[in-house]
Amino acid sequence: MLEASIDIGAFVEIFDLDSVDKTEEGFTSYLNDLCENLELDYATYCAVNTVSDQVIGFTTYDDAWKEHYTSQRFQNIDPTLHLPMRSIAPIDWQRLREHRDFDRVFEHARDFKIKDQGLSVPIHGPYGEVGLISVTRDCSLGTWEKLRKNVITELQTAAVSLHDTVMQSDTLGYALRRPQLSSRECEVLQWTAAGKSQIDIGVILTISSRTVEVHLRSARSKLSALSTPQAVGRAIGMGFIQPK
């Protein structure tokens, strides 16, 4: 039976990412191990800074498909990429077949022997970033349903583990954590850090206190902060403003 064919002992080992080289090659190798242990064809990880739209990703797809995919700008319309990122639960691609762009993408994918049977697992991170692991398998529908049920818990654990490791990487994590604050938002936060009230800041910057609040609200959102003091602390920690 399918349930007995997966080596759980081997799979447990790939949860440990301490020994993985924190490079594109290292993470791609991890995805290859994931495919081998879970009997999958392909796996892709991507993450997006939802404020700056900075994207990073790794995949086990062949170079020919990667080049074709980007040349056709499928990353802008692919429903297996965009729709799962709006979800908090894994999405089987069968639920996406009615989307207007699904056939458009997979008509091309089939030329590269890539089937439209897959699963995407989203991860919503603490900085507002969104990660996603997507996997595919060319098999009968019955086999796919058994495989999906058998590996979905392990796949969710692997997704969280991989995303956490990426976020701890100095270069990759920085790109995903760092929001884009406007110069005015930085000014407002800097004066807030200096202890000035919204009215004071409005006078200093010759804007209304209501406009000051608009900038503070925007900064809190971009910094994923629940309060203005938390936004100030994060802005200092990220180097946007100086401590006073």
Side-chain angles (χ1 to χ4, degrees):
M1 293 178 63
L2 178 65
E3 286 78 358
S5 65
I6 294 176
D7 185 350
I8 298 300
F11 181 73
V12 169
E13 293 180 2
I14 68 172
F15 283 163
D16 181 10
L17 282 151
D18 290 341
S19 61
V20 172
D21 186 17
K22 307 305 187 292
T23 62
E24 180 177 357
E25 292 76 14
F27 288 124
T28 302
S29 177
Y30 175 84
L31 292 175
N32 276 315
D33 289 342
L34 187 73
C35 289
E36 181 178 352
N37 282 281
L38 296 186
E39 300 182 351
L40 301 164
D41 292 337
Y42 300 103
T44 298
Y45 166 84
C46 68
V48 180
N49 179 320
T50 56
V51 175
S52 66
D53 290 330
Q54 175 73 40
V55 179
I56 64 168
F58 319 104
T59 184
T60 64
Y61 285 120
D62 294 337
D63 289 341
W65 170 240
K66 289 190 289 185
E67 292 172 5
H68 184 78
Y69 185 93
T70 54
S71 70
Q72 297 295 314
R73 299 185 181 276
F74 285 151
Q75 67 271 21
N76 296 330
I77 64 168
D78 188 352
T80 70
L81 175 64
H82 293 283
L83 296 185
M85 283 193 169
R86 302 174 193 168
S87 174
I88 60 173
I91 291 185
D92 191 308
W93 292 359
Q94 293 182 64
R95 294 172 51 190
L96 307 177
R97 293 180 189 276
E98 299 303 317
H99 191 278
R100 63 182 182 276
D101 291 318
F102 189 87
D103 285 341
R104 180 180 172 186
V105 172
F106 282 98
E107 281 176 2
H108 288 252
R110 282 188 282 272
D111 292 337
F112 293 83
K113 303 187 185 311
I114 297 170
K115 303 301 182 181
D116 58 0
Q117 196 158 251
L119 178 73
S120 294
V121 179
I123 313 102
H124 295 267
Y127 297 95
E129 83 285 356
V130 182
L132 186 74
I133 277 189
S134 293
V135 298
T136 67
R137 169 71 184 274
D138 181 11
C139 58
S140 69
L141 181 59
T143 299
W144 167 250
E145 290 178 347
K146 291 179 181 178
L147 177 65
R148 184 192 62 212
K149 291 177 182 178
N150 194 45
V151 305
I152 191 167
T153 299
E154 288 86 352
L155 192 59
Q156 286 176 294
T157 303
V160 171
S161 181
L162 177 56
H163 184 71
D164 183 62
T165 302
V166 169
M167 292 302 294
Q168 292 178 35
S169 166
D170 291 339
T171 303
L172 301 177
Y174 180 82
L176 292 172
R177 289 193 303 268
R178 186 174 177 82
Q180 297 294 315
L181 297 184
S182 69
S183 58
R184 184 64 90 186
E185 288 164 350
C186 289
E187 285 181 311
V188 168
L189 287 172
Q190 186 67 73
W191 284 113
T192 301
K196 300 298 183 181
S197 68
Q198 291 185 26
I199 294 176
D200 292 336
I201 296 171
V203 172
I204 294 169
L205 300 179
T206 63
I207 57 178
S208 70
S209 59
R210 179 175 296 180
T211 301
V212 172
E213 172 55 30
V214 169
H215 289 305
L216 284 174
R217 189 183 307 121
S218 176
R220 288 196 298 268
S221 176
K222 290 180 178 181
L223 293 165
S224 300
L226 299 177
S227 65
T228 297
Q230 186 180 40
V232 169
R234 289 188 173 179
I236 292 172
M238 293 180 182
F240 286 113
I241 63 175
Q242 298 299 314
K244 290 292 185 178

